[in-house]
Amino acid sequence: MKLYERLLLENKAWAQEQLEEDPKFFSRLADLQTPDFLWIGCSDSRVPADRITGTQPGEIFVHRNIANMVVHTDLNLLSVLQYAVEVLKVKHIIICGHYGCGGVKAAMSHHSYGIINKWLRNVKDVYRFNKEEVDAIEDEDKRLDKLIEVNVREQVMNLAKTSIVQTAWKNDNRPHLHGWVYGLENGIIKPIFEMPAGTEIDPFYTYDNL
Ligand code: CO
């Protein structure tokens, strides 16, 4: 059997299992999705949003990229965000990083990775903005953990800087923004930062004509 054929085989078995458990599973989901959550996570294969949160198809709208970044010029992220907030009307947005993130680790190094350098520049900027807090930690592994946490916090704040989130906060008192970090070693998610709808943000970034 070829490597990829295992996936197709497993898929058939999974579909069969779902139908046995709930004959209407697919017909119900095919009609519409009404997820309460938007998940912005790292692309790392060890951090599958639904598996680690015990959620089912239809429950989480997902966007993943290297190091779970919210980059204000990223048309892909912004499209997902706008659709989730304005059409799906999600109640919560979760930025979920993870300890041992290779993307953040690479950004801390001085090694060139080619085109990924441009993406990791955003993480380097987070490091620069928070250098004192991160460099206060002597142990190298713990310093990486700290930057991973700080990066999640910055990405939550980046969400609040968008007119998409500010408009929804003003008109609909949602979504609630969460910053979490997942532990590869124990499977536990640690909440580290949150911004409930309406949280005051740095006035530099507020829009007064929304
Ligand atoms: Co990662």
Side-chain angles (χ1 to χ4, degrees):
M1 187 166 48
K2 298 206 172 66
L3 260 184
Y4 69 90
E5 284 175 337
R6 181 172 62 85
L7 306 189
L8 296 171
L9 209 62
E10 287 290 346
N11 166 255
K12 280 201 188 73
W14 173 80
Q16 188 60 37
E17 229 171 85
Q18 297 304 311
L19 280 178
E20 278 163 19
E21 272 174 35
D22 175 4
K24 292 202 172 125
F25 184 79
F26 293 110
S27 55
R28 200 174 54 242
L29 278 174
D31 286 343
L32 84 166
Q33 60 164 346
T34 54
D36 287 327
F37 308 97
L38 165 61
W39 175 279
I40 299 170
C42 183
S43 297
D44 193 302
S45 63
R46 298 164 295 179
V47 195
D50 52 351
R51 288 285 287 275
I52 65 175
T53 56
T55 43
Q56 297 300 315
E59 287 192 272
I60 305 191
F61 200 61
V62 173
H63 179 83
R64 290 168 71 178
N65 60 40
I66 291 175
N68 39 271
M69 302 301 288
V70 175
V71 176
H72 73 106
T73 51
D74 178 0
L75 191 58
N76 187 350
L77 177 278
L78 291 172
S79 303
V80 168
L81 179 66
Q82 184 179 9
Y83 190 75
V85 171
E86 294 181 8
V87 181
L88 298 174
K89 301 193 183 300
V90 297
K91 298 181 179 75
H92 300 270
I93 303 180
I94 297 152
I95 303 277
C96 190
H98 65 101
Y99 294 115
C101 183
V104 176
K105 194 173 181 180
M108 271 185 127
S109 81
H110 296 279
H111 188 87
S112 170
Y113 293 90
I115 199 148
I116 313 171
N117 294 345
K118 312 216 178 324
W119 187 252
L120 296 181
R121 251 286 302 280
N122 298 296
V123 188
K124 282 183 186 284
D125 288 345
V126 170
Y127 191 5
R128 181 164 61 89
F129 297 152
N130 299 276
K131 196 167 170 10
E132 215 171 305
E133 186 180 355
V134 176
D135 282 351
I137 294 167
E138 276 184 34
D139 180 84
E140 203 177 320
D141 291 339
K142 292 208 174 84
R143 199 160 62 234
L144 171 62
D145 287 352
K146 188 65 179 181
L147 180 55
I148 285 162
E149 291 177 354
V150 164
N151 184 49
V152 162
R153 186 180 72 206
E154 286 286 341
Q155 302 321 311
V156 170
M157 293 195 288
N158 281 347
L159 282 175
K161 289 171 191 166
T162 64
S163 55
I164 298 167
V165 166
Q166 286 184 29
T167 301
W169 277 7
K170 186 172 173 227
N171 297 336
D172 216 8
N173 200 36
R174 65 166 181 90
H176 193 120
L177 311 181
H178 307 260
W180 295 353
V181 182
Y182 173 78
L184 293 175
E185 284 168 9
N186 59 12
I188 300 295
I189 292 170
K190 185 172 149 193
I192 54 139
F193 185 68
E194 63 181 322
M195 292 179 84
T199 300
E200 223 169 278
I201 69 168
D202 189 327
F204 264 111
Y205 300 102
T206 55
Y207 300 104
D208 56 13
N209 62 329
L210 296 175

